[in-house]
Amino acid sequence: MFFNTSKQKSEQGKVLTRAEEQALLQRCKDGENGAFDELVHRYQKRVFNFAYGIAGNPDDANDVAQEAFVRVFNSIQTFRGDANFTTWIYRIVTNVYLDDRKKSKNHRLISLDEYIDLEENSISRQIVDESPQPGEIAENKERSQVVRNAINALPDYQRIIVTMYHLHDRSYDEIAETMHLPIGTVKSRLNRARLALAEILKTETELFG
Amino acid sequence: MKCARTQDLFSSHLENAMEPPLRAAFEQHLAECPECKARYEKFNVAILMMEEMQELDVPEGFHSAVMARVEQSRRVVPQPVRWWSLDWQRVFTVRVPARALAMGLSAALLVALLVQFTPLHSITANLITPSRQTGQGIGPNDPGTEKLPVKHWDVNGSSMSIIVDASAVSSAQNIYSLQFKSKSSEAIRFYVFRMPADAKSAEAGNSPFYSGYVESKQDAVVSVDAGTTVRIDWKQDGRAYREYVFMPSQLSSVAASKNLPVIDASIYGALKQVSELYGVVVIASGDLSKNVSLAAGASQRPEDALYDIARVAGLKCEGVALSIYKVQPGI
């Protein structure tokens, strides 16, 4: 299979300390080739998943995330370090995605086929063992896909905020900085997005009990 | 409190970010309005479901694709304007006074006739037709070569293999491309050292010019200027591997015979000399520290010169592609 799902933090997803991050960025600015290689290695999972969250499908996410890294490479000299690097890179991903949308002017279409047909009684909620059982993994994947489809159905601005807040643990401040919006606007948009999601997920939440 | 206002406050209540009087009004409305209460419950479930979402692993080949695009963007050069890529609609909407246009066309026609039917024709032809060089070198001064070698080699015992691609050694980009591939299930960290130009020995220490990972079943690409020797180090399954790649500044398209000068150097130094003299890529592993002394020889081909040097150290030499030779342990 092309993709695997995993919650485990691997080396490539390991969060760097602020000092380690600054040192790595400085090496990138100094033009050390291997440094950028390492930076991609460290951030690729977060960047790809963020791109997936806002683009809604793996192919577009792949393109957006790759282009975002190229833009990071070309503009890393302008990153002054005032902002969090992750915030900066998420802003670049967001801009790449919105630029692509402007160019294509094609609205995404959510295929009904993408929704997973959940048979009645196919999902149980017996959580006894901490480690995921095979059936549980499948259930989690199905559940993730259902939520993913619901997020995809949101308008761009709501989807980006939901992805940042819920899927990438960004604070209101960071989202406001990334999107150049007042915090109050971020909060109200997130609330509206959550309300919309609750409606979209209505059928599915009944299924999950 | 009205329903719409209550729903606007769902997030604030959930995050415990409400002043007590507002909270009391909110909770009172929920207690009295079954519709808002049901919505709030769905709201909470939706958030729980989002929190449980799983991350995806990055697609295969993502890392190397990013690095290749970065490398490409690093080398972007202004492209010449081609007639087929012009915005012709724009060209034809440029407003030019009809009289000026007519005069311009007439002048151009006159010049063309003069050039065609007078001795100016041969003079201008010589000026604008590039003279094609007939030498053997493939480098900045010889844009005419198209058949350039690409060679893949496996390193004995390692699941990493390396490809040297000399197709970019041309008039436009005097660059070799080293591509690393891994069949291992684990990422392999590798280091590329640019050997100092005046290094006499293979042990000359320097800091890595490039360090990176070859992800499982993925590629990594490193570009190296022509005229450079690199040392590639990596470790796998507790074993250390080292390869040297000598890349001449001018790559030859034929294995021409040349007079070998006196050689009195380490194997490393001798291989470097031969690589530059013949314009061949030499990939070497094994002990290159031994000294080799060879008297000036009669005209011989690069494989013969390399054979003479390699056998001194108990190494074997083989041609692996046009202008690419491999020197490694074993006879």
Side-chain angles (χ1 to χ4, degrees):
Chain A
M1 193 177 158
F2 194 57
F3 295 98
N4 296 314
T5 55
S6 165
K7 269 279 188 191
Q8 293 174 341
K9 289 277 180 195
S10 62
E11 172 71 11
Q12 63 178 283
K14 185 188 163 196
V15 179
L16 296 176
T17 64
R18 179 90 173 158
E20 287 170 334
E21 186 180 88
Q22 292 295 325
L24 179 57
L25 291 170
Q26 192 54 52
R27 283 166 53 211
C28 290
K29 286 182 180 181
D30 292 343
E32 185 186 318
N33 284 3
F36 194 76
D37 189 296
E38 186 177 339
L39 185 125
V40 175
H41 191 71
R42 295 278 185 192
Y43 288 90
Q44 60 182 3
K45 190 164 185 178
R46 266 176 282 172
V47 168
F48 174 74
N49 273 280
F50 180 62
Y52 185 33
I54 63 175
N57 70 73
D59 290 339
D60 287 349
N62 201 352
D63 292 343
V64 167
Q66 283 187 26
E67 175 61 23
F69 273 119
V70 174
R71 288 198 195 178
V72 168
F73 179 80
N74 289 328
S75 54
I76 198 146
Q77 297 297 342
T78 65
F79 178 68
R80 290 172 300 169
D82 304 339
N84 185 313
F85 177 69
T86 311
T87 303
W88 187 64
I89 202 169
Y90 282 0
R91 186 189 303 157
I92 290 176
V93 175
T94 306
N95 288 342
V96 170
Y97 169 72
L98 294 175
D99 288 351
D100 283 356
R101 291 267 290 165
K102 269 186 217 162
K103 277 181 204 161
S104 68
K105 292 186 179 173
N106 289 329
H107 291 284
R108 291 169 322 113
L109 296 173
I110 304 299
S111 163
L112 290 177
D113 296 339
E114 287 179 20
Y115 284 90
I116 295 168
D117 185 18
L118 296 172
E119 294 292 333
E120 220 173 323
N121 302 324
S122 66
I123 288 157
S124 61
R125 296 194 54 157
Q126 299 172 352
I127 303 169
V128 180
D129 189 351
E130 284 290 312
S131 60
Q133 302 301 306
E136 203 179 325
I137 293 169
E139 177 190 330
N140 289 341
K141 282 173 74 172
E142 287 177 351
R143 193 192 294 245
S144 287
Q145 192 57 49
V146 167
V147 181
R148 182 85 61 188
N149 290 337
I151 293 172
N152 285 350
L154 295 174
D156 279 344
Y157 70 90
Q158 288 186 355
R159 191 170 60 256
I160 292 168
I161 291 175
V162 160
T163 301
M164 282 191 195
Y165 191 90
H166 285 292
L167 278 56
H168 292 268
D169 301 327
R170 297 289 99 188
S171 67
Y172 285 132
D173 283 341
E174 287 168 323
I175 297 171
E177 191 182 340
T178 304
M179 301 192 71
H180 299 300
L181 288 172
I183 288 184
T185 307
V186 171
K187 286 182 176 176
S188 62
R189 284 187 177 180
L190 181 62
N191 191 66
R192 277 201 292 277
R194 287 164 162 175
L195 282 166
L197 271 174
E199 283 304 309
I200 297 166
L201 288 167
K202 185 178 173 185
T203 312
E204 284 76 9
T205 53
E206 284 166 6
L207 277 169
F208 285 109
Chain B
M1 186 178 282
K2 292 187 176 174
C3 291
R5 174 68 178 145
T6 306
Q7 288 168 22
D8 283 345
L9 293 171
F10 278 1
S11 290
S12 300
H13 186 260
L14 189 76
E15 291 158 10
N16 203 16
M18 291 167 80
E19 294 298 321
L22 190 59
R23 169 186 286 274
F26 176 90
E27 288 173 355
Q28 188 185 347
H29 179 87
L30 276 196
E32 292 166 355
C33 177
E35 194 180 326
C36 279
K37 191 179 176 195
R39 279 199 159 208
Y40 190 47
E41 281 167 5
K42 277 185 260 166
F43 187 90
N44 282 315
V45 171
I47 287 168
L48 279 176
M49 288 175 76
M50 275 192 287
E51 297 297 333
E52 290 174 5
M53 278 187 73
Q54 295 180 319
E55 279 190 319
L56 295 185
D57 285 342
V58 291
E60 282 182 14
F62 179 84
H63 185 275
S64 52
V66 169
M67 295 313 294
R69 286 185 63 176
V70 163
E71 195 58 41
Q72 199 178 10
S73 83
R74 194 205 302 262
R75 291 199 221 140
V76 165
V77 289
Q79 294 296 309
V81 177
R82 311 282 187 194
W83 64 267
W84 58 84
S85 61
L86 278 176
D87 183 354
W88 285 105
Q89 196 175 359
R90 192 184 171 96
V91 170
F92 285 117
T93 55
V94 173
R95 292 177 186 277
V96 180
R99 189 177 294 177
L101 183 64
M103 283 176 69
L105 284 173
S106 303
L109 188 62
L110 187 64
V111 169
L113 287 171
L114 275 171
V115 167
Q116 193 63 33
F117 297 108
T118 66
L120 274 173
H121 175 61
S122 57
I123 296 168
T124 51
N126 284 336
L127 281 174
I128 60 177
T129 304
S131 57
R132 207 168 169 89
Q133 297 189 4
T134 53
Q136 294 160 353
I138 301 170
N141 299 322
D142 187 356
T145 307
E146 288 176 4
K147 289 181 183 173
L148 288 156
V150 177
K151 181 58 193 169
H152 167 284
W153 79 94
D154 292 310
V155 179
N156 291 339
S158 172
S159 56
M160 186 158 90
S161 57
I162 308 171
I163 295 169
V164 58
D165 180 354
S167 55
V169 184
S170 65
S171 56
Q173 295 168 340
N174 210 11
I175 291 170
Y176 290 86
S177 174
L178 295 173
Q179 192 177 352
F180 300 83
K181 285 176 177 287
S182 169
K183 294 176 211 151
S184 167
S185 57
E186 308 245 325
I188 298 175
R189 176 140 204 165
F190 68 99
Y191 300 86
V192 181
F193 297 80
R194 200 199 310 256
M195 301 297 287
D198 56 352
K200 300 279 188 273
S201 123
E203 299 305 319
N206 52 10
S207 58
F209 146 71
Y210 187 97
S211 67
Y213 292 89
V214 191
E215 301 280 349
S216 171
K217 295 173 186 166
Q218 295 184 22
D219 304 344
V221 178
V222 179
S223 296
V224 183
D225 294 335
T228 307
T229 300
V230 296
R231 191 181 88 207
I232 305 159
D233 289 359
W234 71 99
K235 277 187 183 168
Q236 194 191 353
D237 300 329
R239 190 180 153 191
Y241 295 88
R242 174 168 292 179
E243 295 272 326
Y244 293 87
V245 187
F246 300 83
M247 289 160 281
S249 44
Q250 298 277 317
L251 189 68
S252 174
S253 59
V254 291
S257 294
K258 294 199 176 183
N259 293 327
L260 196 66
V262 175
I263 289 183
D264 185 12
S266 64
I267 301 285
Y268 172 89
L271 293 178
K272 187 164 178 60
Q273 252 181 288
V274 170
S275 166
E276 274 300 321
L277 176 68
Y278 288 96
V280 296
V281 174
V282 180
I283 303 149
S285 56
D287 182 7
L288 308 186
S289 63
K290 286 187 184 171
N291 269 328
V292 53
S293 296
L294 293 175
S299 178
Q300 57 180 336
R301 290 160 61 85
E303 54 266 40
D304 299 327
L306 287 168
Y307 174 80
D308 286 345
I309 293 166
R311 72 188 171 91
V312 173
L315 303 172
K316 68 174 180 181
C317 167
E318 58 179 323
V320 289
L322 178 67
S323 297
I324 300 184
Y325 297 87
K326 190 171 176 184
V327 173
Q328 62 185 329
I331 298 291

